[in-house]
Amino acid sequence: MKKYAVSAIMLLLCGLLFFFSNQAVTAARYGFALWRDSVLPALLPFFICTYVLQNCGILTGNVSLIFLSMVSGAPSGARLLSYRNGYCDSSESIAALSVIGPMFIYASFCRSMLNQPVLAWPLLIAQALSTALMLLLFPLKPTARTATLNSTESFGTILTNGIKFSMQALLNIGASIIFFTTVISVSENILTFILKPICLFFDVVGLDPVLPLILVKGILEMVSGCSALIDAGLSLRTTSAVAAFFFAFGGICIMTQSMTFLKLSPAKYLKVKFIQGGVAALIAFLLTPLFVVEPSTPVFSSIPAAQMAANTVSIVALLFACTVGISVILLMGAAVHKRRL
């Protein structure tokens, strides 16, 4: 049954790619440009540096691994864990380490795409705190060790190998981004139709009705979601909360990238990522007024009743969205487990 469902989805996608070929090609070019201009410059230097550190024997413990994973960004966590001898860490631990690096958050998103460098502070704090919480709940195994290269290899050999393997990993990431960007583009009309009731609900409770489609795009592919978020022209506080969710969640695209390095359970992975994204969104939403003061968002004065109500509704909506996502993942996992039994 599972194979038939996947085959049906792929046939549907092939049909959409055929009937919307011009749109698909444009989206693929756009995804390639996103990877070339934002992802590649942000990740390549860190990928090379972490490879050299790994193979010089520097990466010997969980603290170093967590630090390098946070600095270089997803899917570095899975890539670094794949070098461990006797790998035994859980899908939840891999999920906790699969976060977007500070270089992309600050340089690519806040400075280049949004032109709001100061917004990096609440986003980075939310990223760090949500990741720390998940690692406390799902710690890495303390007994694993890291493999190193042959000690006879010169630094030049290690460096050139690092460039080669890092570029191969980034090509896989670029292919994933292009694929998911194209899928989102050709299926946008279908997604808009499916999400119409949710958009109406958002409009009724006073939230922006474009948010559901933006959230779906970001859940599928993080960079596309960030681009759609900026184009929507929302308030900085809303933009910060949604972006924090995207950076902590990472997107299904990053999950597929992680699966190229390690075997993991998608249900367990996504369960952790929905929780992590919800926590990061809530933290960023609460912290943003302390760093970015908008005319309608005073920091050190009394908050109007209407604004307090809007804030409450926003928090409830975020928690509701995370709860629904987690429930869907748990139900899917239970159904798969029942079929196996």
Side-chain angles (χ1 to χ4, degrees), residues 11-291:
L11 286 173
L12 175 61
L13 285 177
C14 287
L16 291 173
L17 291 171
F18 176 77
F19 286 107
F20 301 100
S21 55
N22 290 333
Q23 186 175 342
V25 171
T26 302
R29 290 197 187 101
Y30 177 67
F32 175 76
L34 285 176
W35 172 78
R36 179 195 64 201
D37 299 336
S38 298
V39 179
L40 180 63
L43 293 185
L44 181 59
F46 286 106
F47 273 30
I48 296 172
C49 291
T50 53
Y51 181 91
V52 174
L53 288 172
Q54 281 178 318
N55 294 284
C56 288
I58 303 299
L59 186 60
T60 57
N62 286 339
V63 175
S64 299
L65 187 144
I66 293 170
F67 173 76
L68 291 178
S69 298
M70 294 289 294
V71 168
S72 54
S76 289
R79 185 168 72 86
L80 295 172
L81 284 171
S82 68
Y83 284 89
R84 287 180 175 234
N85 289 325
Y87 166 78
C88 58
D89 288 292
S90 63
S91 298
E92 291 89 346
S93 301
I94 301 171
L97 287 178
S98 296
V99 292
I100 306 305
M103 180 65 74
F104 180 86
I105 293 175
Y106 173 73
S108 297
F109 180 76
C110 294
R111 180 174 285 277
S112 299
M113 299 171 71
L114 191 60
N115 196 27
Q116 289 286 343
V118 71
L119 197 65
W121 285 108
L123 292 176
L124 291 174
I125 293 172
Q127 184 84 301
L129 292 179
S130 61
T131 303
L133 175 62
M134 291 301 104
L135 287 174
L136 286 174
L137 295 175
F138 307 103
L140 295 169
K141 298 294 187 298
T143 56
R145 296 182 179 179
T146 305
T148 58
L149 285 180
N150 193 321
S151 58
T152 60
E153 290 186 326
S154 64
F155 172 75
T157 301
I158 295 175
L159 180 61
T160 53
N161 285 337
I163 294 172
K164 179 177 69 175
F165 291 126
S166 298
M167 197 62 209
Q168 288 176 351
L170 281 165
L171 285 173
N172 290 334
I173 293 172
S176 299
I177 291 174
I178 293 170
F179 173 76
F180 278 94
T181 303
T182 306
V183 169
I184 291 171
S185 178
V186 298
S187 60
E188 186 165 354
N189 291 332
I190 297 175
L191 291 174
T192 301
F193 176 77
I194 294 173
L195 295 172
K196 193 171 183 179
I198 302 177
C199 294
L200 292 175
F201 170 76
F202 271 53
D203 194 22
V204 169
V205 300
L207 298 175
D208 200 303
V210 302
L211 273 176
L213 184 59
I214 294 174
L215 287 171
V216 170
K217 288 182 177 181
I219 287 172
L220 290 175
E221 203 283 306
M222 183 271 302
V223 180
S224 298
C226 290
S227 181
L229 179 62
I230 292 173
D231 293 339
L234 304 175
S235 68
L236 285 179
R237 196 174 190 186
T238 302
T239 299
S240 176
V242 177
F245 174 81
F246 289 162
F247 296 146
F249 182 79
I252 295 176
C253 179
I254 285 181
M255 182 186 74
T256 62
Q257 295 166 22
S258 299
M259 293 174 72
T260 64
F261 299 106
L262 290 172
K263 184 179 180 180
L264 55 86
S265 167
K268 293 179 180 179
Y269 180 97
L270 292 175
K271 175 187 67 176
V272 171
K273 298 312 291 179
F274 271 112
I275 298 173
Q276 190 171 358
V279 171
L282 182 58
I283 294 172
F285 182 83
L286 297 174
L287 290 182
T288 296
L290 300 178
F291 298 92

